[in-house]
Amino acid sequence: MTFTFSHRYQPAWPATLGCLRLEHWLKTKYNVVISLINIRWQYCFPRTLSQRQKEKGELPVSTVSPKMAEVCGQVLLGSGLTVLSHPLMYIKVLIQVGHEPLPPTLGRNLFGRQVYQLPGLFAYAKHIIRIDGRAGLFKGLGPRLCAGTIGTVVHSKVVQKCQEQGTPQILGGQQKDKESSLQQVVNETTREMIARSCATIVTHPFHVITLRCMVQFIGRETKYSGLIPRLLGDVLSLWICNLLAHLINTYAIDDSMSHTGEIKNCSQAMTGFFASMLTYPFVLVSNIMAVNNCGLAGGLTPYASVYPTWVDCWKHLSREGNMSRGNSLFFRKLPAGKTYAVDQKRFF
């Protein structure tokens, strides 16, 4: 199995990094990565338990296709390159938008003449570390990794689909070798164009979020901090739902009862509903922070308060008793101690 960077969707890699040795090393080690992934998938997805017991000391045959293992290898390799290059992209974006936090310094150009120079990579990085610490160099890394992973998968699937549906162009004859090679280049370029376009369209929202997370460094905003409460809510809801369903199915439902399967499905649905009610405040805070101080009327005063962080939003809603606002769409009660303003269409 060979690997080339020219026909794979990879996150942007700055040419200024000058890491040709690292890139060559990663290319040569790609087969090792694929082998490790194949072994990992074989352990995680054996054929059957009985076959695994029979094949003592032998690796079970994996049900995962080599294509999936190749895509996983591309994701791991692309993620590693993204992590390594992210501080450079971060600094480059801040410079692109015109943020110059450090004054020019007197230095010398290539010809030895004294000129005033703007701060370079290391000076800019030290400034960011001094304000946000070392972790500040990786602001926006999360959505960028999501974009790279989704883009790689979409690109691979589209290329595979195009190859399956495409028909080979048979021109025939040795006298048409030039036309045949040209037709092959056109077909490959067309497939690559379609795949990259699909990957770019799908991952564009993550790209926008990545850039906005980086530019928040200038004004010290936290508009895109809504991911944390949403992630906490999803994780807590999952654990509460599964643990409650397990307790009910284990201790409250007897396997000898009739319609056991239907009862367990009902208990799973009920526990999911109960878990969503308990974790609703996380959903509320996440949605509010998504539009908080974003420049839209609904995210600014008087309709909404401006919150520095999602924790401040949580505390404010808790003090006002609005942690369940919007949870019920029927039989909604008037907020206690609030007055409705007809002209502003809100309570205050």
Side-chain angles (χ1 to χ4, degrees), residues 5-37:
F5 280 87
S6 58
H7 296 292
R8 294 291 184 267
Y9 180 86
Q10 295 292 346
W13 177 260
T16 58
L17 190 59
C19 292
L20 296 178
R21 293 184 178 179
L22 174 61
E23 183 177 349
H24 176 72
W25 181 84
L26 289 171
K27 288 181 180 179
T28 57
K29 299 300 181 181
Y30 179 74
N31 290 333
V32 178
V33 174
I34 293 298
S35 301
L36 293 175
I37 293 174

Side-chain angles (χ1 to χ4, degrees), residues 136-240:
L137 291 174
F138 297 92
K139 188 173 295 184
L141 178 61
R144 191 181 175 205
L145 287 175
C146 293
T149 302
I150 297 174
T152 301
V153 175
V154 171
H155 180 276
S156 177
K157 293 294 184 181
V158 173
V159 169
Q160 183 180 1
K161 198 70 175 178
C162 291
Q163 291 175 348
E164 293 175 354
Q165 295 182 353
T167 57
Q169 301 291 333
I170 303 176
L171 297 178
Q174 296 181 357
Q175 70 276 11
K176 295 187 178 180
D177 288 341
K178 293 183 179 180
E179 290 84 356
S180 179
S181 61
L182 178 60
Q183 183 66 43
Q184 183 179 1
V185 171
V186 172
N187 293 338
E188 291 180 356
T189 305
T190 302
R191 287 196 298 265
E192 184 68 17
M193 178 189 67
I194 296 174
R196 290 195 180 188
S197 299
C198 292
T200 301
I201 293 172
V202 172
T203 60
H204 185 69
F206 293 97
H207 178 69
V208 174
I209 295 174
T210 299
L211 296 179
R212 293 185 179 182
C213 287
M214 294 176 175
V215 177
Q216 284 185 148
F217 175 80
I218 300 175
R220 311 306 299 166
E221 299 98 344
T222 56
K223 294 182 181 180
Y224 295 91
S225 61
L227 175 63
I228 297 178
R230 182 182 179 187
L231 184 62
L232 290 175
D234 290 341
V235 171
L236 290 176
S237 178
L238 175 64
W239 279 98
I240 293 173

Side-chain angles (χ1 to χ4, degrees), residues 233 237 240-241 269-281 283 327:
S237 178
I240 293 173
C241 177
M270 293 299 296
T271 54
F273 176 75
F274 179 69
S276 64
M277 290 183 58
L278 292 179
T279 58
Y280 179 78
V283 178
N327 190 20

Side-chain angles (χ1 to χ4, degrees), residues 5-148:
F5 280 87
S6 58
H7 296 292
R8 294 291 184 267
Y9 180 86
Q10 295 292 346
W13 177 260
T16 58
L17 190 59
C19 292
L20 296 178
R21 293 184 178 179
L22 174 61
E23 183 177 349
H24 176 72
W25 181 84
L26 289 171
K27 288 181 180 179
T28 57
K29 299 300 181 181
Y30 179 74
N31 290 333
V32 178
V33 174
I34 293 298
S35 301
L36 293 175
I37 293 174
N38 280 325
I39 295 174
R40 181 64 179 173
W41 278 104
Q42 287 171 352
Y43 274 112
C44 294
F45 297 95
R47 287 177 291 176
T48 60
L49 181 60
S50 60
Q51 289 173 339
R52 188 173 182 180
Q53 292 174 347
K54 292 179 181 179
E55 299 174 357
K56 294 181 179 180
E58 297 181 2
L59 283 178
V61 178
S62 175
T63 59
V64 179
S65 63
K67 186 65 177 179
M68 182 178 295
E70 183 181 357
V71 173
C72 292
Q74 296 170 16
V75 170
L76 289 177
L77 185 59
S79 299
L81 296 175
T82 299
V83 173
L84 291 176
S85 65
H86 189 77
L88 287 90
M89 179 185 175
Y90 184 23
I91 296 173
K92 185 176 182 180
V93 169
L94 292 179
I95 294 176
Q96 286 175 342
V97 299
H99 183 56
E100 297 293 346
L102 301 175
T105 57
L106 188 63
R108 296 184 181 274
N109 58 12
L110 295 176
F111 302 99
R113 297 178 56 184
Q114 286 189 344
V115 294
Y116 281 97
Q117 298 176 341
L118 294 174
L121 170 66
F122 296 105
Y124 218 118
K126 289 180 180 179
H127 174 72
I128 295 175
I129 293 174
R130 186 166 56 251
I131 296 177
D132 291 337
R134 296 183 184 273
L137 291 174
F138 297 92
K139 188 173 295 184
L141 178 61
R144 191 181 175 205
L145 287 175
C146 293

Side-chain angles (χ1 to χ4, degrees), residues 299-325:
L300 298 171
T301 54
Y303 288 97
S305 302
V306 176
Y307 306 106
T309 64
W310 71 270
V311 178
D312 297 308
C313 177
W314 183 289
K315 292 180 179 179
H316 181 259
L317 293 175
S318 180
R319 285 195 302 266
E320 292 191 344
N322 285 330
M323 295 302 292
S324 61
R325 186 173 63 192

